[in-house]
């Protein structure tokens, strides 16, 4: 060995600890498959901007002047707990700005005229969550920390796909512009995440409504694309057929929550997205009255009895139900994680048929929202599908709908699934 080579060896040996140190700091997660997160309902923050076309409804006088006057640029519409705390008169106004309108000519939903909206920080997880201490850790905040704990880094191999939770997928042939835009953005995000990580395929991790959206996304992506870009799909707290508690439309609106205020939530395309699926709940009576029982098959009639218009009921049938019934195997390796062992509404009793009153709730098993029937149906609707060759369903006892992404033990198991997916060939 000549002296030059010896010098090189010494230099390299001397540099080694430094090199390892910088690896640990800089590219700690090098070698990990990139993760893309889709959060649950109401977890994506939305900004809004008003145009000259905007005319405040008479029901939202606070939108006329006051705090909104002079709001020229983008401002945080959802979730803006702080602004609503400081000025409760803004609640009816923000409820109005969040409302969706269905345009029968375009056959699609859009914002109230004069309101523009956008999700915050697409591509990152920074637009998840809220400034409301009461809902801290319900939107993957702790999952992000846990993934960072095993080497994931925001913008390097950890990405977020926030979406406007008011919009829903529609079946082929029906317009759903906002949702289609989201699918395109998600496709691009996954491709870029892969490219930034040496063309490694991506692990999708979703919570609740995010899982329904990801399922539609995967089923509408060509199989070759899925095989190339999706390493694993970890679907957390999403059943195969919704939950009974969502049949509860009555109750008094919260004066502090713009989503429930003046039934804003009823105007969303997602209002019916997770209603019980006939495929899962069959003919079992889910709502009981003296005169009549309603099963999942009777939902159109039930919606009518709850004051929804003929048009709204028709949209449930033509738009939502098709998507619900089409819930099927994504044909990529998949792990479902769900909580069980928590009291979950199984039947709602409105004995006198007054759906505005509080029902007597008969509880069964589930995660507090999603019924165990819906969770177990994942085995038959996805696991048993011959196209689905890698499927695992993890049931975590005593764990709620949100506990799956916030309880320490549940999080540990979730992160373990991500690491295991990384090790799979
Ligand atoms: C159901 O899913 C399949 C693909 O899995 C798709 O080809 C079909 O168009 C979907 N139908 C509806 C109504 O969404
Ligand atoms: C990733 O794939 C693209 C084409 O699909 C190729 O051009 C590129 O060189 C690949 N990058 C790496 C790091 O393998
Ligand atoms: C409704 O369902 C309940 C519980 O399953 C049953 O006892 C009752 O007979 C049913 N009532 C009607 C009107 O079908
Ligand atoms: C669930 O929690 C209850 C009460 O906290 C406890 O008695 C029970 O052992 C727990 N079950 C499991 C499976 O952890």
């Amino acid at each position: 060995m000549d002296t030059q080579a010896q010098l090189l060896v010494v230099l390299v040996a001397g540099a080694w600890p430094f090199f390892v140190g910088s690896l640990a700091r800089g590219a700690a997660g090098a070698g990990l498959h990139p993760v893309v997160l889709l959060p649950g309902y109401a977890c994506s923050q939305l900004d809004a901007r008003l145009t000259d076309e905007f005319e405040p409804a008479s029901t939202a006088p606070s939108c006329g002047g006051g705090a909104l006057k002079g709001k020229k640029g983008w401002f945080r519409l959802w979730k803006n707990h702080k602004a609503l705390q400081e000025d409760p008169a803004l609640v009816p106004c923000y409820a109005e700005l969040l409302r969706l309108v269905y345009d029968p000519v375009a056959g699609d939903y859009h914002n109230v005229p004069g309101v523009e909206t956008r999700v915050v920080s697409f591509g990152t997880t920074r637009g998840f969550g809220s400034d409301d201490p009461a809902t801290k850790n319900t939107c993957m905040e702790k999952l992000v920390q846990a993934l960072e704990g095993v080497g994931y880094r925001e913008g390097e191999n950890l990405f977020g796909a926030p979406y406007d939770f008011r919009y829903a997928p529609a079946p082929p042939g029906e317009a759903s512009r906002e949702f289609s835009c989201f699918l395109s953005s998600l496709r691009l995000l996954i491709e870029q995440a892969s490219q930034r990580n040496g063309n490694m395929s991506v692990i999708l991790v979703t919570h609740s409504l995010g899982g329904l959206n990801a399922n539609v996304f995967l089923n509408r992506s060509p199989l070759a694309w899925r095989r190339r870009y999706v390493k694993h799909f970890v679907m957390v707290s999403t059943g195969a057929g919704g939950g009974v508690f969502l049949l509860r439309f009555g109750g008094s609106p919260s004066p502090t929550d713009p989503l429930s205020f003046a039934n804003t939530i009823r105007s969303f395309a997602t209002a019916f997205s997770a209603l019980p699926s006939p495929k899962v709940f069959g003919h079992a009576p889910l709502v009981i009255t003296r005169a009549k029982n309603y099963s999942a098959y009777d939902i159109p009639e039930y919606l009518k009895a709850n004051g929804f218009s003929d048009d709204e009921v028709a949209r449930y049938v033509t738009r939502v139900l098709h998507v619900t019934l089409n819930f099927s195997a994504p044909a990529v390796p998949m792990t479902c994680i769900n909580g069980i062992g928590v009291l979950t509404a199984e039947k709602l009793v409105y004995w006198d048929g007054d759906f505005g009153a509080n029902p007597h709730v008969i509880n069964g098993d589930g995660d507090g929202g999603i019924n165990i029937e819906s969770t177990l149906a994942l085995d038959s609707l996805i696991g048993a599908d011959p196209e689905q060759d890698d499927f695992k369903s993890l049931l975590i006892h005593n764990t709620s709908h949100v506990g799956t992404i916030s309880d320490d033990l549940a999080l540990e198991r979730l992160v373990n699934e991500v690491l295991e997916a990384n090790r799979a060939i």
Side-chain angles (χ1 to χ4, degrees):
M1 198 185 279
D2 62 30
T3 47
Q4 218 180 345
Q6 274 173 344
L7 186 65
L8 193 65
V9 167
V10 170
L11 269 179
V12 169
W16 192 72
F18 172 75
F19 183 57
V20 168
S22 70
L23 240 190
R25 278 192 308 276
L32 288 171
H33 283 262
V35 164
V36 173
L37 301 176
L38 270 78
Y41 187 78
C43 281
S44 302
Q45 296 171 8
L46 305 173
D47 277 347
R49 182 166 68 174
L50 303 181
T51 69
D52 294 339
E53 213 193 329
F54 180 68
E55 283 192 30
S58 55
T59 48
S62 59
C63 263
L68 280 196
K69 208 165 196 127
K71 263 211 189 341
K72 280 275 175 278
W74 293 100
F75 62 97
R76 186 62 42 84
L77 175 61
W78 180 264
K79 185 165 188 179
N80 200 337
H81 176 72
K82 188 162 170 282
L84 300 181
Q85 280 246 306
E86 283 167 5
D87 183 4
L90 277 180
V91 174
C93 173
Y94 278 33
E96 170 71 11
L97 300 181
L98 280 162
R99 215 157 52 76
L100 289 189
V101 182
Y102 183 77
D103 176 353
V105 177
D108 201 359
Y109 292 83
H110 57 68
N111 281 321
V112 168
V115 179
E116 293 175 353
T117 49
R118 66 177 185 199
V119 296
V120 174
S121 302
F122 185 83
T124 78
T125 67
R126 288 192 296 273
F128 293 3
S130 80
D131 59 342
D132 180 358
T135 54
K136 198 166 156 13
N137 297 331
T138 61
C139 291
M140 292 184 154
E141 293 94 331
K142 285 183 88 172
L143 175 59
V144 169
Q145 286 170 18
L147 288 170
E148 285 172 346
V150 296
Y152 278 98
R153 292 289 171 268
E154 177 86 43
E156 289 177 25
N157 51 11
L158 178 59
F159 303 88
Y163 54 91
D164 190 329
F165 55 90
R166 301 172 302 162
Y167 293 95
E174 299 273 339
S176 184
R177 205 179 56 87
E178 273 294 326
F179 191 80
S180 303
C181 288
F182 168 67
L183 293 192
S184 309
S185 308
L186 178 57
R187 178 156 297 123
L188 201 61
L189 176 65
I190 290 174
E191 290 172 2
Q192 288 170 347
S194 170
Q195 276 148 24
R196 253 188 233 187
N197 288 274
N199 286 343
M200 274 195 289
S201 50
V202 166
I203 300 171
L204 265 181
V205 183
T206 66
H207 184 240
S208 194
L209 181 67
L212 290 182
N213 287 344
N215 204 270
V216 170
F217 168 75
L218 291 169
N219 274 294
R220 292 184 186 178
S221 302
L223 190 58
W225 187 93
R226 277 179 261 167
R227 297 249 157 96
R228 159 77 179 78
Y229 285 105
V230 182
K231 172 80 174 161
H232 205 96
F233 176 21
V234 182
M235 189 174 79
V236 184
S237 296
T238 303
V244 170
F245 82 105
L246 291 158
L247 288 169
R248 193 172 169 171
F249 293 104
S252 40
S254 158
T256 56
D257 176 16
L259 290 194
S260 90
F261 192 90
N263 283 327
T264 297
I265 220 166
R266 280 195 177 200
S267 72
F268 296 173
T270 37
F272 307 140
S273 286
L275 291 185
S277 165
K279 248 191 192 170
V280 169
F281 291 89
H283 290 282
L286 304 179
V287 177
I288 295 172
T289 74
R290 184 191 287 117
K292 184 180 162 46
N293 287 345
Y294 298 86
S295 75
Y297 283 101
D298 305 317
I299 287 176
E301 201 183 330
Y302 179 67
L303 294 177
K304 193 97 192 69
N306 273 268
F308 288 97
S309 70
D310 288 346
D311 287 347
E312 287 171 307
V313 176
R315 290 206 291 278
Y316 163 72
V317 175
T318 57
R319 291 175 72 98
V320 183
L321 191 54
H322 279 290
V323 174
T324 300
L325 293 175
N326 210 23
F327 184 84
S328 52
V332 294
M334 182 176 189
T335 305
C336 299
I337 304 181
N338 283 280
I340 56 164
V342 179
L343 290 182
T344 304
E346 192 172 71
K347 295 179 194 306
L348 307 178
V349 183
Y350 295 96
W351 196 239
D352 296 322
D354 174 7
F355 299 123
N358 280 329
H360 167 65
V361 178
I362 300 175
N363 283 311
D365 198 351
D367 72 2
I370 302 303
N371 306 84
I372 194 165
E373 289 83 352
S374 199
T375 299
L376 296 180
L378 293 165
D379 296 346
S380 51
L381 290 181
I382 294 184
D385 190 319
E387 279 194 36
Q388 184 67 38
D389 47 27
D390 185 346
F391 174 82
K392 173 161 144 193
S393 175
L394 274 180
L395 304 180
I396 308 188
H397 287 271
N398 275 2
T399 302
S400 71
H401 194 66
V402 164
T404 49
I405 54 160
S406 54
D407 295 355
D408 290 340
L409 275 176
L411 267 176
E412 209 171 285
R413 298 189 67 177
L414 205 177
V415 170
N416 196 44
E417 287 305 310
V418 171
L419 294 177
E420 207 162 284
N422 265 291
R423 286 191 287 268
I425 299 148

